[in-house]
């Protein structure tokens, strides 16, 4: 996800994105532990996306 896409979303949409990203990160960790993870770069992308969502979410909540 790009930062410009996230800035256009409201707080509820960001929270939904955050929960789905956390679920995906959880599933990727299990795949890695069981040796089934094929795209190892996806873990990094998801982690950074979570950080982006949290950053935008906190800035939006400060302004409210």
């Amino acid at each position: 996800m790009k930062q410009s896409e996230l800035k256009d979303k409201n707080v509820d949409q960001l929270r939904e994105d955050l929960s789905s990203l956390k679920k995906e990160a959880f599933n990727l960790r299990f795949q890695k532990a069981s040796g089934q993870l094929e795209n190892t770069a996806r873990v990094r992308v998801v982690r950074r996306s979570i950080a982006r969502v949290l950053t935008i979410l906190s800035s939006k909540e400060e302004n409210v």
Side-chain angles (χ1 to χ4, degrees):
M1 271 182 228
K2 295 193 176 205
Q3 191 172 6
S4 58
E5 295 172 3
L6 295 174
K7 285 185 177 182
D8 296 336
K9 294 185 178 187
N10 63 24
V11 174
D12 292 331
Q13 291 171 329
L14 288 171
R15 287 191 179 130
E16 288 175 15
D17 288 345
L18 182 63
S19 67
S20 68
L21 285 168
K22 285 188 175 185
K23 286 177 187 177
E24 185 177 355
F26 180 77
N27 290 332
L28 289 172
R29 282 197 307 268
F30 266 90
Q31 289 177 9
K32 183 178 179 185
S34 63
Q36 297 176 349
L37 184 62
E38 293 177 5
N39 186 3
T40 57
R42 184 70 184 148
V43 176
R44 182 179 183 186
V45 170
V46 170
R47 265 195 355 251
R48 289 183 178 196
S49 294
I50 289 172
R52 278 190 196 99
V53 170
L54 286 173
T55 302
I56 302 281
L57 191 60
S58 66
S59 70
K60 284 190 181 245
E61 288 176 345
E62 284 179 1
N63 293 334
V64 173

